[in-house]
Amino acid sequence: IYKHKIERIETMKVSIVVPCFNEEKTVPLFFDEVEKFKGAHEFEYLFIDDGSKDGTLAAIKKLAAAYPYVRFVSFSRNFGKEAAMYAGLDHSTGDYVVIMDADLQHPPTMIPDMIKGIQEGYDCCAARRTTRKGEAPVRSFFSRMFYKVNKKMTNIDLVQGAVDFRIMTRQMVDSVLELSERQRFSKGIFSWVGFKTKWLPYENVERPLGSTKWSFWGLFKYAIDGITSFSITPLRIVTGMGFLISIFAFLYSIVTLIKTIIFGIDVPGYTTTLCAILFLGGIIELSIGVLGEYIANIYMEVKN
Ligand code: UDP
Ligand code: MG
């Protein structure tokens, strides 16, 4: 333990994992900027070209040819940032791994602070946006809604404003990699694996070049993934509704039955038809809920 501590304080090998999709202009800018914050540490860059359509791969290859500590992975097509992050973590060799965006929206000035956090004994040091300056108000509104709904539906504690900019120890990276599911929601996975995390606040930075790759529907799908990845609550809601409908149907049947006995029949067949429909509806919904419970168990087992 003592030897490990000494190593931590002197130099550390840090892998920088950078998912890139159509970032030909930002990649060289990013590299120059991050190089400034190396200090005494050894950096390894891992650029992941996520099937870019522009000259991103060429820009990365140029850096890799000039610097032996720049490596890259190139995808056969666009698989999305989640897949790019997974590939980056998988190929990283550093004792510590930083994940950050290529567009300089994650301030490289924070890297030394993050390393310091690790030296203080944290397993992970992550950035949290405190402002959403420069973002469309609609987007901010839906984002806040997502955090609220997510908190209610899952037992994953997502930190408001958390971004995919963090440093992790090898131990934590290996834990994250062990969850090899295809439908990845990394923000949730980072929280799920546990470990001691230090949060560093920062103010939102606008993109210097290029544009965001997220459309509204892209984000909406991502939010749904975030909830369904860690929660079986939607299935529970079905079961709950089944119960409610069944109870309602049962009560209603009794009321109409009594009414029919006292006041007689106004429309023949009406009472029986209505009660049958309501009751069957409730039973069907309840049955779907029961199936859902089993599917939920299968889902959790498959996630391993
Ligand atoms: N990115 C990626 N694959 C994608 C979309 C984005 O690797 O399909 C990368 C992108 O190059 C950038 C990071 O993910 O480095 C964040 O993307 P972006 O800046 O578009 O998102 P925003 O900052 O607007 O949330
Ligand atoms: Mg960005």
Side-chain angles (χ1 to χ4, degrees):
I1 290 168
Y2 183 66
K3 194 171 157 241
H4 184 59
K5 272 215 164 121
I6 293 279
E7 270 173 12
R8 273 188 165 189
I9 287 163
E10 284 170 354
T11 59
M12 317 194 322
K13 182 169 177 188
V14 182
S15 299
I16 315 262
V17 168
V18 198
C20 308
F21 177 55
N22 295 346
E23 304 278 6
E24 61 177 351
K25 290 201 195 89
T26 42
V27 162
L29 211 68
F30 170 86
F31 179 74
D32 290 343
E33 222 25 65
V34 176
E35 275 290 274
K36 292 180 192 159
F37 298 96
K38 219 170 176 169
H41 305 294
E42 182 189 344
F43 273 14
E44 167 199 59
Y45 291 83
L46 245 168
F47 289 98
I48 317 298
D49 165 39
D50 185 11
S52 300
K53 302 240 166 14
D54 64 356
T56 304
L57 184 58
I60 295 170
K61 277 185 173 164
K62 213 169 122 192
L63 285 176
Y67 304 92
Y69 50 89
V70 173
R71 295 165 55 220
F72 65 92
V73 174
S74 178
F75 284 179
S76 54
R77 67 164 168 87
N78 180 248
F79 282 92
K81 188 184 173 188
E82 290 288 333
M85 288 197 287
Y86 187 80
L89 293 179
D90 197 26
H91 284 81
S92 66
T93 61
D95 306 314
Y96 303 94
V97 182
V98 172
I99 299 184
M100 64 193 293
D101 285 0
D103 58 10
L104 290 171
Q105 277 189 301
H106 296 161
T109 44
M110 290 176 77
I111 295 176
D113 298 336
M114 287 187 164
I115 292 176
K116 221 161 94 201
I118 291 285
Q119 287 167 337
E120 283 165 13
Y122 286 93
D123 301 293
C124 169
C125 216
R128 189 170 64 81
R129 273 196 305 190
T130 51
T131 56
R132 290 181 164 273
K133 189 167 57 83
E135 195 183 64
V138 186
R139 199 168 148 172
S140 304
F141 170 76
F142 278 103
S143 172
R144 271 196 297 274
M145 285 265 291
F146 165 71
Y147 280 102
K148 273 201 193 120
V149 173
N150 194 283
K151 200 174 175 147
K152 284 249 153 61
M153 284 214 174
T154 69
N155 42 21
I156 294 292
D157 191 21
L158 288 187
V159 172
Q160 181 79 252
V163 292
D164 296 324
F165 177 25
R166 53 170 65 230
I167 189 169
M168 291 179 278
T169 59
R170 172 56 43 190
Q171 190 187 15
M172 183 168 173
V173 170
D174 288 344
S175 305
V176 169
L177 286 172
E178 244 177 77
L179 299 172
S180 57
E181 57 211 66
R182 300 292 136 88
Q183 276 289 337
R184 290 183 83 71
F185 184 71
S186 292
K187 279 188 210 303
I189 291 175
F190 292 144
S191 159
W192 189 87
V193 295
F195 294 100
K196 241 167 63 178
T197 303
K198 182 180 183 182
W199 290 97
L200 301 175
Y202 78 100
E203 297 212 342
N204 194 32
V205 183
E206 287 185 48
R207 229 179 205 280
L209 290 166
S211 62
T212 178
K213 312 297 179 307
W214 288 97
S215 63
F216 180 79
W217 285 113
L219 278 172
F220 185 76
K221 225 194 113 256
Y222 183 64
I224 297 285
D225 278 351
I227 290 165
T228 54
S229 289
F230 288 97
S231 168
I232 53 168
T233 310
L235 290 171
R236 288 264 155 82
I237 291 173
V238 175
T239 320
M241 292 220 317
F243 261 118
L244 280 181
I245 294 173
S246 301
I247 289 170
F248 173 73
F250 188 67
L251 293 178
Y252 189 74
S253 311
I254 291 174
V255 170
T256 21
L257 207 71
I258 293 169
K259 260 173 73 182
T260 316
I261 291 167
I262 300 171
F263 302 108
I265 296 167
D266 358 308
V267 184
Y270 169 76
T271 312
T272 26
T273 312
L274 195 77
C275 289
I277 288 175
L278 275 175
F279 207 66
L280 277 178
I283 299 283
I284 289 169
E285 182 110 3
L286 198 67
S287 310
I288 293 173
V290 171
L291 287 181
E293 285 297 314
Y294 283 95
I295 292 173
N297 284 342
I298 294 168
Y299 182 53
M300 288 304 162
E301 288 295 326
V302 168
K303 274 164 106 54
N304 234 335

